[in-house]
Amino acid sequence: MTLEKEKLRSFVDKHQGQKKSLIAILQEIQAEYRYLPEECLRFVAKSLRIPLTDVVAVATFYRAFSLTPRGKHVCTVCQGTACHVRGAPRILDEFERRLKIKAGQTTKDKQFTLETVACLGCCAIGPVVVVDNDYHAHTTVRKVGPILKKYQR
């Protein structure tokens, strides 16, 4: 993929090229491309005059960032204790079955990325599934199909 240097430059310039804005710049790149391509990380490092290893360290530290392409829709299935005892493993299995991928993977058509998280912090409404920042409370195996249908093209 040939990335638009002008677009990348605009992300850096928006933050006056300040090193303290690294996370904000990476967030904008992630929002634009749905992941952080290597050439973007190199461009940011050069533009901010910081070592590439520092940029990669930030990009790999935060779960919100991805170094591999993500789907248009990100499905996150909580696997915390409260969700687990209420059936989260079966819900995850159903997502994997319907999407034909395992947690941590993206569908071939790049429509869905399936992820798990140790806890979303909303145990009272578990099991919880989050798709594109939309929280689906009290999720059951039967609700997986309708949840996916809502986000399919």
Side-chain angles (χ1 to χ4, degrees), residues 52-129:
L52 178 60
T53 55
D54 290 354
V55 176
V56 172
V58 170
T60 56
F61 179 79
Y62 293 102
R63 184 169 168 74
F65 296 128
S66 176
L67 299 180
T68 57
R70 293 171 116 184
K72 180 178 178 182
H73 304 288
V74 178
C75 303
T76 304
V77 181
C78 183
Q79 296 293 300
T81 304
C83 291
H84 182 86
V85 300
R86 294 180 184 141
R90 291 189 311 279
I91 293 164
L92 177 61
D93 289 345
E94 185 66 9
F95 271 100
E96 290 177 338
R97 186 184 73 74
R98 287 178 177 267
L99 294 173
K100 298 177 176 63
I101 58 173
K102 294 290 184 187
Q105 297 179 333
T106 298
T107 57
K108 288 179 184 177
D109 64 2
K110 303 276 191 261
Q111 286 300 302
F112 292 95
T113 295
L114 181 61
E115 298 179 340
T116 61
V117 66
C119 184
L120 287 167
C122 45
C123 306
I125 61 170
V128 177
V129 171

